[in-house]
Amino acid sequence: MTRVAIYARVSTEGQADEEVPINGQIDECRKFAADKGWEVTEVFTDAGFSGRTDDRPAFRRMIEIIKTSPNPKPFDIILCWRSNRLFRSVEHRLAYSRVFRRHSIRFVAMHEPEFEGASAMFMETVLAAADELYVSQVSEDTLRGLKQIAMAGYSTGGKAATGYRNVRKVAGLKPNGEPILRTGWEPDPDYAPKIKRAFEMCASGASGPEIIKATGVVTSPSSLVSLLRNRAYLGERIYNVMKQVDGKTRRRANSKPEDIIRKENAHEALISLELFDAVQDVLVRRRPDTKGKSKQSPQTYLLTGLLWCSEHQAFYTGNTNSERNYYVCSAKRKLGAKISPCRNVKKETMEEFILDNLQKHVFTEKRIRAGLEAIAREKIKNKQEDDKERKELALKINQTGIELKRFYEAIASGVNPENLAQPIEERSALKNKLYLQLAEIDRQREIDLQIPDITDTMVEDIQEKYIGIFLTSPEKLKAILPQFIERIELDGTKAKIKYFAAEEQKVGSYWRPQGDSNPRSPP
């Protein structure tokens, strides 16, 4: 019998105290499961926790059980009243959907349509495309604010450079008279002299290991070179030199000089400009001569771990020689060509053939529209939930204010203030907490991605620009493909795509027996 875990959540403390909404969600889910013939084996509830964070006790416990349970898996399905009970951000939805799928666990929202086969997996690529747009919008707003902080000479976060330490400084006053605090740098009395000595030793010809041993400012020669090139020791605040690529996985130099912030005299300099320039001359002279040497770019084999040899029950792996790139049956590599005479598969031919089929069968305008409509429905539900939560918080703030007013009136009428000190403190703390919760809702609504009316132009734009990200970036595409393709089975000259569901897509011959490298069109 199919085993089900129910997850229910409410956001506000009022709902958590009453427990009616949570019990209502559980009752409906139990009835839904019974109608399907499923057995409910676990119930996870988070009362008084926002879905905007994944730091929820029952949710974390559920994920831990999924990750650590040995076979058989703890349950087959996670059932929710609506998907926003479990996720309130695209990021979390993508991340935890992958966790569920790795452990062969389905997620079902009883009041939402359930997509099947390739459609189910493709929905996540649409969400990922929308997430790309969302992240870029939020990043632009965040970057704008951080640039302003850097231009004022203050730290944008993180540890200070070795030789400095962070210190809080008053940068101005708020309208209510409260100070605006920012983080600045000041010389670290323990390490600042060591930094100066490291520069002086380098300028006088000392080697990297000698400088490291004498100063201890770093532990490796490469780190020492980075330190000696850092203009922060001249008192400069430099920001946005490096930019993120593919989220936080890689960083590269910012190619737009106008986006780099340089603020002189942002903090006390540890060395002189003359000493810094002398060290740069030394580093240039020591730099290895790489002129005329070319580095071959590593190949990205998109289908590694997906291409499967039906004859030998083994995966194909990438193989690069001086002339061509191939996928080779791993059994052939292990046993030899005489025992396993599989044909090598040309990398470019196979990858182009599979991507062409994905574009025709999976990345379609119909599915993009369905994905956008699903996102729009979810946004509407989230807005309705926010409105309800905001109304409840406002009501509680008002009630707490009335209670405080009564306490102060009692004191004015002669009641001993000491008798009311504790309840006044508790109500004041509660009021501040409620205001913070209200501010968080308003902040989230300001930055939340708004989905406009879905038009044909918008669908085409998503298909060409955002879904195109996955089809033009090998690194992203390599990460995306295993999320909705289980296996591509090769049998002779035939290929079959197996999705993470019952649906399969036969895609026909992937080469011509005569040796023509151009793939045939799928039947």
Side-chain angles (χ1 to χ4, degrees):
M1 179 178 287
T2 301
R3 296 162 300 159
V4 176
I6 294 174
Y7 180 84
R9 179 187 63 81
V10 289
S11 300
T12 63
E13 292 184 358
Q15 289 177 312
D17 292 339
E18 296 170 10
E19 288 295 322
V20 175
I22 275 190
N23 285 338
Q25 293 175 38
I26 295 173
D27 290 343
E28 286 197 44
C29 287
R30 285 188 181 277
K31 184 177 184 303
F32 182 86
D35 292 341
K36 295 280 189 178
W38 300 340
E39 178 189 4
V40 176
T41 59
E42 297 273 1
V43 176
F44 299 92
T45 60
D46 278 315
F49 289 90
S50 172
R52 299 182 189 90
T53 175
D54 59 352
D55 189 15
R56 295 168 256 150
F59 179 82
R60 301 302 301 177
R61 189 171 72 254
M62 180 179 71
I63 297 299
E64 186 66 19
I65 289 173
I66 291 173
K67 289 182 175 180
T68 59
S69 292
N71 289 327
K73 57 192 173 185
F75 33 79
D76 304 294
I77 292 174
I78 295 174
L79 178 61
C80 287
W81 189 66
R82 290 192 187 280
S83 61
N84 63 9
R85 298 298 87 202
L86 200 61
F87 315 110
R88 283 296 304 272
S89 76
V90 173
E91 178 185 0
H92 291 158
R93 183 174 190 136
L94 290 173
Y96 290 109
S97 291
R98 292 165 193 158
V99 173
F100 299 159
R101 189 161 56 256
R102 280 200 301 269
H103 295 274
S104 301
I105 295 174
R106 285 172 57 199
F107 166 62
V108 176
M110 58 175 293
H111 285 295
E112 296 172 11
E114 187 177 0
F115 294 90
E116 297 291 344
S119 295
M121 301 308 151
F122 176 69
M123 291 303 297
E124 292 194 10
T125 66
V126 175
L127 289 171
D131 192 39
E132 289 278 342
L133 178 60
Y134 168 75
V135 169
S136 65
Q137 288 178 339
V138 175
S139 297
E140 288 177 3
D141 293 339
T142 303
L143 181 61
R144 191 177 300 110
L146 292 176
K147 281 183 176 180
Q148 293 176 351
I149 293 174
M151 284 189 290
Y154 297 106
S155 171
T156 55
K159 294 177 62 176
T162 303
Y164 291 99
R165 62 185 180 186
N166 287 329
V167 59
R168 298 290 279 174
K169 298 181 178 181
V170 177
L173 296 176
K174 299 178 182 178
N176 61 4
E178 295 180 4
I180 299 174
L181 297 178
R182 292 280 185 260
T183 299
W185 290 357
E186 68 177 14
D188 185 321
D190 294 328
Y191 276 90
K194 296 179 180 179
I195 292 294
K196 185 176 181 181
R197 186 183 178 195
F199 274 87
E200 290 172 344
M201 288 181 67
C202 182
S204 63
S207 67
E210 290 174 337
I211 297 172
I212 293 172
K213 183 177 180 180
T215 64
V217 290
V218 292
T219 58
S220 67
S222 60
S223 298
L224 178 63
V225 172
S226 298
L227 183 146
L228 295 173
R229 288 176 177 166
N230 194 346
R231 297 184 66 87
Y233 298 115
L234 294 172
E236 296 182 10
R237 170 71 61 195
I238 306 173
Y239 176 69
N240 206 32
V241 174
M242 305 298 292
K243 64 185 298 184
Q244 298 287 348
V245 179
D246 297 345
K248 296 183 179 180
T249 57
R250 296 186 302 157
R251 290 168 65 86
R252 71 180 180 201
N254 195 333
S255 59
K256 298 180 179 180
E258 65 274 13
D259 285 345
I260 299 175
I261 303 301
R262 299 183 185 275
K263 172 69 175 178
E264 296 182 356
N265 302 318
H267 44 263
E268 183 179 336
L270 299 186
I271 60 172
S272 66
L273 179 60
E274 292 75 17
L275 177 58
F276 183 85
D277 288 341
V279 168
Q280 304 317 299
D281 290 339
V282 172
L283 295 178
V284 170
R285 290 196 299 270
R286 291 179 179 177
R287 183 180 302 166
D289 183 14
T290 58
K291 187 176 181 181
K293 298 179 181 180
S294 60
K295 185 178 180 181
Q296 186 175 4
S297 299
Q299 291 290 327
T300 300
Y301 284 87
L302 302 179
L303 306 180
T304 300
L306 296 178
L307 282 181
W308 177 259
C309 177
S310 298
E311 181 180 357
H312 299 103
Q313 297 295 292
F315 282 110
Y316 281 80
T317 58
N319 181 68
T320 300
N321 59 32
S322 59
E323 297 180 356
R324 294 179 179 177
N325 306 308
Y326 289 96
Y327 285 100
V328 181
C329 174
S330 56
K332 180 178 180 178
R333 278 185 162 179
K334 183 177 180 180
L335 303 175
K338 290 184 179 180
I339 299 177
S340 299
C342 299
R343 283 186 64 174
N344 293 345
V345 180
K346 292 182 180 179
K347 174 183 182 296
E348 293 77 12
T349 300
M350 174 56 76
E351 290 179 357
E352 289 174 5
F353 175 73
I354 293 298
L355 294 183
D356 179 64
N357 277 275
L358 290 178
Q359 287 179 289
K360 291 179 179 178
H361 297 291
V362 180
F363 295 94
T364 64
E365 291 186 4
K366 180 179 179 181
R367 284 180 170 148
I368 290 175
R369 183 178 291 276
L372 291 174
E373 289 172 350
I375 294 172
R377 288 193 298 270
E378 190 168 326
K379 292 292 180 181
I380 292 172
K381 292 170 190 171
N382 289 344
K383 182 180 182 302
Q384 291 172 344
E385 181 179 329
D386 285 343
D387 290 341
K388 181 179 179 181
E389 187 176 346
R390 200 181 191 288
K391 185 177 180 180
E392 291 175 352
L393 287 171
L395 180 61
K396 283 195 169 188
I397 290 172
N398 184 57
Q399 291 173 343
T400 306
I402 292 174
E403 292 178 1
L404 284 170
K405 182 179 179 182
R406 288 174 179 169
F407 289 148
Y408 291 130
E409 288 175 349
I411 292 173
S413 64
V415 175
N416 188 347
E418 294 183 359
N419 296 336
L420 297 177
Q422 183 174 347
I424 287 176
E425 183 179 353
E426 292 174 351
R427 297 303 190 281
S428 297
L430 174 60
K431 190 174 182 180
N432 290 335
K433 180 181 178 181
L434 294 171
Y435 269 123
L436 289 175
Q437 292 176 355
L438 191 62
E440 173 60 21
I441 292 176
D442 292 339
R443 185 193 70 82
Q444 186 66 35
R445 291 180 66 164
E446 287 180 1
I447 66 173
D448 200 14
L449 176 64
Q450 300 298 315
I451 302 296
D453 293 336
I454 300 172
T455 63
D456 292 341
T457 302
M458 182 181 182
V459 172
E460 293 171 3
D461 193 47
I462 288 286
Q463 186 180 43
E464 293 178 6
K465 293 183 180 179
Y466 301 118
I467 299 303
I469 290 173
F470 304 121
L471 299 179
T472 57
S473 170
E475 293 82 5
K476 286 187 178 182
L477 183 55
K478 184 175 174 61
I480 286 293
L481 289 179
Q483 294 174 24
F484 61 95
I485 294 179
E486 180 180 5
R487 185 176 292 175
I488 302 170
E489 295 184 353
L490 304 187
D491 187 1
T493 62
K494 302 292 183 181
K496 179 190 291 184
I497 297 177
K498 297 188 70 174
Y499 298 103
F500 275 102
E503 180 181 348
E504 295 181 2
Q505 175 63 51
K506 295 181 180 179
V507 294
S509 298
Y510 59 87
W511 66 53
R512 294 180 184 273
Q514 293 80 7
D516 190 342
S517 62
N518 293 321
R520 292 178 180 175
S521 299

